[in-house]
């Protein structure tokens, strides 16, 4: 029985890998100037790993684009730079700070301010400046209800906006990348993957990850239903619950002002897989930015978010 389960997992992952590699190659074939959105999170890491396999022995034929809020975890940035060097890939960094200084966006004020929503303008400016006609993203349909509406090839209009009611049909493995001048696509090779699939694939491929994904001690503050790491940009306010040396890890990685931790003793891949198998909340459930409103993610996506 155990051998049958192992065989199923191997075949299932092989099918997902084959599908993702096919979509990566279709993207390279149909678009003139694609880019791979790379955050240093596990999904974008897996996508970059798949791209390396898809085009081996050549280098990845498109740049990695990171939209940096300036409030990322130090571990994430260090991993990003090391991994890009290992891939021998081109890294393009769009800085939210530049968008603020140019007056393109206005930074939020107050103790609970976040730059997360400001990423949209920085991303759209980078797409326009570099003339990217497709951006590969690591979004998965199991993450959040808005992402469940995405196609593999997700059309964006000439303002970079997404209309979930006006997407192309995708029959079998036929993808329509036709577009008018100024329009572009977001492409999601991992659409059919689950969080469990990602972790099992990371184990099978022995893919290194940022240390944030594994259990460690960190000072945290409990805020609006999320457990945030205390830092220069997450400062405890009067009346907030502070916990010192909490044993935690992060299921998702992003801006420190909205990326919540979870209590966890999982210090290695097998323990994380077991933890994910028993979880009753999706990884996006730890994100403070998704708690701002019932339709927070969909509203951001309509404006041009990842």
């Amino acid at each position: 029985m155990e051998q049958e389960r192992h065989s199923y997992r191997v075949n299932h992952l092989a099918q997902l890998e084959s599908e993702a590699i096919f979509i990566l190659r279709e993207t390279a074939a149909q678009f003139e100037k694609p880019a791979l959105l790379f955050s240093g999170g596990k999904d974008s890491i897996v996508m970059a790993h798949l791209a390396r396999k898809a085009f081996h022995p050549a280098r990845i034929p498109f740049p990695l684009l990171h939209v940096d809020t300036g409030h990322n975890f130090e571990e994430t940035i260090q991993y990003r730079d090391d991994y890009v060097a290992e891939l021998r890939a081109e890294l393009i960094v769009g800085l939210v700070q530049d968008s603020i200084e140019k007056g393109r966006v206005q930074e939020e004020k107050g103790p609970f301010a976040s730059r997360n929503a400001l990423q949209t303008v920085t991303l759209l400016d980078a797409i326009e400046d570099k003339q990217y006609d497709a951006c590969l993203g690591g979004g998965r349909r199991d993450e959040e209800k808005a992402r469940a509406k995405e196609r593999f090839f997700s059309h964006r209009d000439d303002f970079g906006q997404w209309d979930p009611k006006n997407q192309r049909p995708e029959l079998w493995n036929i993808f329509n990348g036709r577009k008018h001048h100024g329009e572009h696509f977001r492409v999601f090779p991992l659409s059919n993957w689950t969080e469990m699939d990602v972790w099992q694939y990371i184990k099978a491929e022995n893919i290194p990850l940022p240390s944030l994904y594994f259990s460690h001690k960190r000072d945290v503050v409990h805020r609006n239903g999320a457990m945030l790491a205390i830092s220069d940009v997450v400062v405890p306010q009067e009346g907030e619950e502070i916990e010192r040396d909490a044993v935690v890890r992060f299921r998702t990685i992003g801006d420190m002002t909205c990326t919540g931790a979870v209590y966890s003793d999982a210090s290695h891949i097998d323990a994380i897989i077991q933890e994910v198998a028993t979880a009753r909340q999706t990884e996006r459930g730890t994100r403070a930015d998704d708690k701002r409103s019932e339709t927070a993610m969909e509203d951001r996506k309509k404006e041009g978010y990842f």
Side-chain angles (χ1 to χ4, degrees):
M1 182 65 71
E2 180 61 32
Q3 186 175 0
E4 290 179 1
R5 284 198 294 266
H6 175 71
S7 177
Y8 169 78
R9 285 197 300 269
V10 170
N11 291 334
H12 176 63
L13 291 177
Q15 289 174 351
L16 290 173
E17 179 188 70
S18 177
E19 177 182 67
I21 286 176
F22 176 78
I23 293 166
L24 284 160
R25 290 173 176 166
E26 276 292 295
T27 302
Q30 290 200 38
F31 297 99
E32 294 182 6
K33 199 172 181 182
L36 188 153
L37 299 176
F38 189 81
S39 66
K42 68 182 187 311
D43 299 315
S44 63
I45 292 167
V46 165
M47 196 163 55
H49 178 84
L50 287 163
R52 176 160 62 175
K53 294 186 76 170
F55 301 104
H56 181 79
R59 295 185 187 183
I60 298 175
F62 32 72
L64 275 55
L65 172 60
H66 180 211
V67 178
D68 184 355
T69 65
H71 294 166
N72 288 308
F73 290 94
E74 183 178 330
E75 296 93 331
T76 304
I77 299 301
Q78 185 60 58
Y79 179 94
R80 178 199 71 185
D81 294 342
D82 291 344
Y83 194 57
V84 168
E86 179 189 337
L87 294 175
R88 297 184 299 151
E90 179 187 4
L91 175 66
I92 304 295
V93 179
L95 298 172
V96 170
Q97 183 63 42
D98 287 349
S99 299
I100 294 170
E101 292 175 358
K102 293 175 182 176
R104 294 283 294 140
V105 294
Q106 185 173 359
E107 190 159 18
E108 292 182 4
K109 305 297 182 183
F112 306 137
S114 174
R115 289 184 174 183
N116 193 61
L118 307 186
Q119 295 178 85
T120 297
V121 171
T122 306
L123 172 61
L124 293 176
D125 284 350
I127 290 172
E128 183 177 1
D129 179 57
K130 300 293 184 180
Q131 295 295 295
Y132 296 130
D133 53 0
C135 286
L136 292 145
R140 307 186 324 268
R141 292 182 181 132
D142 76 317
E143 288 182 274
E144 201 273 344
K145 57 189 177 183
R147 288 187 169 173
K149 300 177 182 180
E150 290 280 18
R151 300 286 199 268
F152 283 108
F153 277 29
S154 184
H155 175 263
R156 298 298 198 269
D157 65 20
D158 50 0
F159 294 101
Q161 297 175 328
W162 174 63
D163 181 0
K165 297 180 180 179
N166 186 28
Q167 294 294 307
R168 314 282 176 81
E170 292 181 340
L171 307 175
W172 301 285
N173 61 349
I174 300 173
F175 304 108
N176 183 355
R178 293 183 179 180
K179 59 182 179 56
H180 296 294
H181 179 73
E183 299 175 343
H184 72 277
F185 278 77
R186 306 290 170 83
V187 181
F188 300 100
L190 305 185
S191 287
N192 286 336
W193 296 51
T194 65
E195 184 184 9
M196 177 64 80
D197 294 329
V198 170
W199 280 110
Q200 289 183 335
Y201 187 77
I202 288 168
K203 177 184 176 181
E205 296 288 301
N206 195 28
I207 302 172
L209 293 175
S211 60
L212 293 166
Y213 281 113
F214 302 95
S215 179
H216 60 283
K217 291 184 178 180
R218 192 175 288 266
D219 295 343
V220 298
V221 60
H222 296 263
R223 178 178 296 171
N224 298 329
M227 185 163 52
L228 304 179
I230 295 174
S231 66
D232 291 343
V233 295
V234 178
V235 179
Q237 302 298 305
E238 184 177 353
E240 287 188 323
E241 180 185 352
I242 301 170
E243 188 172 354
R244 304 291 181 184
D245 291 329
V247 180
V248 301
R249 73 177 189 88
F250 293 88
R251 291 177 69 186
T252 178
I253 292 177
D255 189 291
M256 289 187 291
T257 61
C258 59
T259 303
V262 295
Y263 292 113
S264 176
D265 293 318
S267 58
H268 54 85
I269 294 287
D270 286 330
I272 290 175
I273 289 174
Q274 182 62 37
E275 189 178 86
V276 170
T278 59
R280 292 295 176 265
Q281 183 183 53
T282 70
E283 63 209 277
R284 294 292 308 188
T286 65
R287 300 279 301 214
D289 50 331
D290 288 352
K291 300 178 187 294
R292 289 195 169 193
S293 74
E294 184 68 23
T295 59
M297 171 63 82
E298 183 159 335
D299 292 341
R300 295 200 305 276
K301 287 180 70 64
K302 287 179 179 178
E303 294 170 359
Y305 186 72
F306 299 179

